[in-house]
Amino acid sequence: MGVLDGKAVIVTGAGRGLGEAYARHAAAEGARVVVNDVEGADQVASSIVDAGGEAVAHTGTVTDPAVATELVQRCASAFGRVDGLVNNAGITHFGDPWDDEPDVLRAVVEVNVLGTMYCGTAAAKVMRGGSIVNVVSGAMLGRPNAAAYSASKGAVASLTLSWAGALAARDVRVNAVAPLAWTPMMDLDPRAAAISSPEQTPARMAPLVTYLLSDRSAHVTSQLIRFLPDKLHVISQYAVKQPVLTRESWDVDALAAAFSSDLAAEPPSPARWQV
């Protein structure tokens, strides 16, 4: 018996890397899985079936809303239901802000933000109960020289909390995970060796996603969860910091005094996204 017995779940970007690990682990725990990616989905789905699991492939880009709708319909037609969605498909980009090209920025936002939104919107139309897991990153806290990627993952974090509130009435839980593992995307990361290693495999990240898809997490929603091989913690979304200063009116001198004392900020820490 597995914790996902009888459930039908969709994993995007599952042709390799983290998505492949999520799909394989879910299938090993009894889920019937739709494996989506622009390439590699057929091979992953076939290997899951060969190992005794249930899976079907879906090839297509989540940046197309029609494809996202088709993906959800594929799950419903193949397995008769949609119990879970893992929005894992994503791309990254690193570079100095002055070198970021518009086409690259657009591509990152289209895959990471719009792709997530298209799939989640399509799933929300049919899901009654179940779980949506969005994949974010520690970079959502603001990683230097990764503006587009950081912005896209910050958007998905906010999207997660919005969906969690809206879908609670339909008994759909929505959480986000920020994993750290050695994947093909690390080949593009100039700091890869400093933050990860080949021993930090995607398979080590998969149990958290399986848990969030399962009924054992029925009490967990609207959480942003940072997961490293040896660390697990919840990240707080932006909130009003204390103290809240009150005056009938503010002039420049009063504002300067406030930001020099009560509202003085700590120096930015570029390493905070690594935690």
Side-chain angles (χ1 to χ4, degrees), residues 102-157:
D103 288 348
V104 175
L105 300 181
R106 180 183 296 276
V108 173
V109 171
E110 286 183 341
V111 176
N112 296 0
V113 182
L114 291 179
T116 296
M117 296 183 77
Y118 292 151
C119 291
T121 298
K125 292 177 180 178
V126 301
M127 290 178 70
R128 297 297 183 272
S131 172
I132 295 175
V133 181
N134 295 326
V135 178
V136 290
S137 166
M140 68 186 179
L141 300 177
R143 175 174 173 177
N145 306 105
Y149 187 65
S150 295
S152 71
K153 293 304 184 179
V156 174

Side-chain angles (χ1 to χ4, degrees), residues 70-93:
E70 178 186 278
L71 171 59
V72 173
Q73 292 173 343
R74 173 74 164 138
C75 185
S77 62
F79 303 128
R81 55 195 294 166
V82 179
D83 299 296
L85 166 66
V86 183
N87 278 310
N88 170 76
I91 61 174
T92 191
H93 167 67

Side-chain angles (χ1 to χ4, degrees), residues 163-185:
W163 279 351
L167 290 172
R170 297 190 174 189
D171 197 28
V172 176
R173 307 183 310 283
V174 189
N175 295 284
V177 298
L180 181 61
W182 194 273
T183 70
M185 289 177 70

